[in-house]
Amino acid sequence: MSADSQASPPSTTTYELEWKYNPRLVTNHLGRSKYSSTVKALRELVANAFDAHATKVTVLLHSSELGEVLSITVQDNGHGISPEILRTRFMEVAVETSNSDPSRLGRFGVGRLAVHRIGAFSKWTTTSDGSNGDKVRCTFTIGDSPSALKVIQESAPAEEECGTFIEIFEIRDRDREKPTAPGISSDLTAHFCGYLLGNPRQEIWVQGERIDVTQRILSRELETIPAEGRIKENARLEHILFTSPLDQTRFPFQIIFAGKGRTVATEKLETPPTPNYLALVECPHLDSLVTANRELLVEMDDEFTQLRDAALGRIQRFGERFKSERVKTFIQRARQQEYYPYRSPTEDPLTSAKQAIYDVVLEKVHETANVESMTKRQQELVFRLLHRSLENEDVLEVLSEVARLSDDDFERFRKLLERTTLDSILKLSSEVSHRLDFLDVLHGLIYGDTKKHLKERSQLHRILEPDCWLFGAQFHLAASDRSFREVMRKHRAMAGLPDVADDDLAQLGGIDDIPDLFLASSRDYPFAPKHRHLLVELKAPNVSLGTKELSQIRRYADTILSSHEFDKSSTRWDLFLISGRCTGQIARDRQQKDKPHGCVWEWDAMTVWAFEWSEIIAKAKEEMMLVKDHLKRKSEELTVSQYLSENFPDILESLTKKFSSGADPASTGAPHTNEGVAAPSSVTAQ
């Protein structure tokens, strides 16, 4: 083998390479791209302020007259950034944080770079204690273009407060998602909720208003999740009820897992105990996750998984207990209010059914709208409007739109209404009540002090038009204050007869007379008469019926009887003459032998009557009372209260017993108060 055929040994070179990075790493990747919005970047600046031992952080938005956000400022009263820190840690990107302070929020040493996400450049003014005890103020600006930091350092007055003031200009989100004070406040509330609850001395102010989590808390209850299984140390679970429902757009969760005051993870409950509920879970393990910068991997942590399951189980039990206790106490207090519509004791099963439905719907409204947090005046409005809605509207519609029943609860009510026709009974009962009230009002108008001033055509006539039922439930209003020309046309159309020419109508006597009301009814079954019509002539209450009024109604009768254009073969006509009282002559005519009371003339196809208003009202009242008694008997067969008590036991636990014993539902429970419905006492504020 020749020497040329032998391979040369490989050469070896050892060298070192310096790490290099583009300046865009600071401004873009660690600054602008790291945060998805202005509010998230603001979180980091607030956290840095608290790490600087600030007790107050203030965020302000400065806008133009047109509402455009020109700048955002963040100010704190912490220890400031000293010249020594500026030269070392501040200028060193991603410097390792010290673990000597367990309450520290900063993790990666890049939080100050969040200003790049908020705006194009920022001006910093920071005051700190110098090494010799004097105050030192440093001012500098940071822009998108990386350059050396030019610091103006000067002595500050001894009375000047330490802290850092950051002004950020050329806001990036002003055209895309304009930052707003309410949005920033809600986000900071959600993010620092645990921290603010655990550090009551710390304050965050946004646009002049303090984020005071404790002021929004109605009650707090603490329990311990014991160390067992993978849970190494005891955990704190705090059940918090706020004074109003949480904003779901900003607070879409009901559980916060926090470590060192920072939100590590959140959880959304399918059925929270109440819309104003929030759970806070804290433990040493969550603290350690924050310290080790491992909270982003929390979902893969076995101890956290068991902690979450334990918390969910305890929250469910708390919700069941709270809901049961709150429902009982709320309904009991609600029944004590003077504006509760069913305060009077009753043995009427229909009223019992109405109250049962009202109580269930009221509680469901309370679950959605937190009636307890309202003022007494607002509560009264809710109570009365809900009662009116149930009286006037479709029950299922109210349950769906107003009470916002769950699918299961709604299905229970639907089955109840199908089984008992309760909806129809309630509607008819409500209509009967309205009609009885109308009759009382009408009697007062006609026989009270107002009768002298009540005008027949412009007042009494208009009052009666929508309530013609009082002349007979079978009738409907066909024409009001129209001449016999219109009455004939309406009548012939209903009888299926052709119209009459105007020239022929002009030949009829009395065709231009104008009766007050023309009422009509028809029957489908083939028994004569198929049609029954009623003409009503009204007189003012102070007009006594005499010969003049009687001759007018007789003229109406002659117009119909003498004209072949008015059908008498399949139509029966009744004519009513009505006023407050009758004279002696008409009184005798109304009491003829072998004729019903009030009848003055009678022919084969027509009867003419003269009535006093008291008789019309008394007859209508009698009919309404008969309907009311029928509804009562029908409702006794339904056992609605018992049905609802079985399906909604928490709400209606004692309703049936109260009615059966005749006890006043408003007399049970706590003493009556004028302060409205109070908060439940089962969960006390700490």
Side-chain angles (χ1 to χ4, degrees), residues 325-394:
E325 293 176 355
R326 187 191 68 166
V327 166
K328 293 177 183 177
T329 55
F330 171 74
I331 291 299
Q332 289 171 0
R333 285 191 300 275
R335 292 171 184 162
Q336 297 163 19
Q337 303 307 315
E338 66 271 17
Y339 39 78
Y340 180 74
Y342 300 100
R343 287 181 56 82
S344 301
T346 179
E347 296 182 359
D348 180 6
L350 186 58
T351 303
S352 173
K354 288 183 176 181
Q355 182 184 4
I357 291 178
Y358 181 85
D359 283 358
V360 171
V361 178
L362 179 61
E363 167 55 30
K364 296 302 178 181
V365 170
H366 173 56
E367 288 183 7
T368 302
N370 195 8
V371 178
E372 291 177 332
S373 66
M374 300 179 184
T375 65
K376 183 185 176 185
R377 186 67 178 270
Q378 291 170 332
Q379 289 180 29
E380 180 178 0
L381 183 63
V382 170
F383 278 49
R384 296 193 188 282
L385 287 179
L386 180 59
H387 182 242
R388 181 174 297 180
S389 296
L390 288 174
E391 288 284 329
N392 297 337
E393 304 295 337
D394 183 87

Side-chain angles (χ1 to χ4, degrees), residues 475-499:
F475 293 114
H476 70 273
L477 181 62
S480 176
D481 204 20
R482 297 298 180 93
S483 70
F484 265 105
R485 295 172 183 269
E486 183 68 18
V487 170
M488 177 180 288
R489 287 195 167 96
K490 293 272 189 181
H491 153 66
R492 292 182 67 83
M494 285 183 282
L497 300 174
D499 198 3

Side-chain angles (χ1 to χ4, degrees), residues 423-440:
D423 195 12
S424 300
I425 292 177
L426 291 179
K427 287 180 179 178
L428 185 54
S429 173
S430 177
E431 182 64 24
V432 168
S433 298
H434 290 323
R435 290 186 176 187
L436 289 173
D437 291 341
F438 170 78
L439 293 173
D440 289 338

Side-chain angles (χ1 to χ4, degrees), residues 20 108 159 175 177 210 236 311-312 316 319 335 377 572 638 642 645 670:
K20 296 181 180 180
F108 303 117
E159 63 274 12
D175 298 323
E177 296 177 3
R210 181 186 176 188
R236 288 166 42 95
L312 288 173
Q316 181 180 359
R335 292 171 184 162
R377 186 67 178 270
R572 173 77 188 180
L638 303 182
Q642 290 87 339
S645 296

Side-chain angles (χ1 to χ4, degrees), residues 542-561:
N542 59 342
V543 175
S544 298
L545 297 181
T547 55
K548 176 183 176 182
E549 290 73 28
L550 200 60
S551 64
Q552 182 183 8
I553 199 72
R554 177 59 187 259
R555 188 170 68 250
Y556 292 173
D558 291 341
T559 298
I560 297 173
L561 293 173

Side-chain angles (χ1 to χ4, degrees), residues 19 42 249 550 682:
W19 286 101
L42 282 172
T249 61
L550 200 60
S682 59

Side-chain angles (χ1 to χ4, degrees), residues 206-224:
V206 178
Q207 215 65 8
E209 294 188 7
R210 181 186 176 188
I211 298 177
D212 193 346
V213 180
T214 59
Q215 290 297 317
R216 294 183 57 196
I217 292 177
L218 179 67
S219 62
R220 302 169 69 173
E221 182 177 294
L222 180 66
E223 67 172 297
T224 299

Side-chain angles (χ1 to χ4, degrees), residues 21-65:
Y21 66 88
N22 190 289
R24 293 177 61 254
L25 173 67
V26 174
T27 58
N28 284 10
H29 298 291
L30 298 180
R32 196 186 309 178
S33 301
K34 187 174 185 292
Y35 309 97
S36 60
S37 65
T38 293
V39 290
K40 291 184 178 180
L42 282 172
R43 296 177 190 172
E44 293 298 330
L45 300 183
V46 173
N48 281 359
F50 285 137
D51 282 345
H53 297 166
T55 58
K56 181 178 181 180
V57 184
T58 301
V59 179
L60 291 176
L61 278 69
H62 306 275
S63 304
S64 67
E65 294 181 355

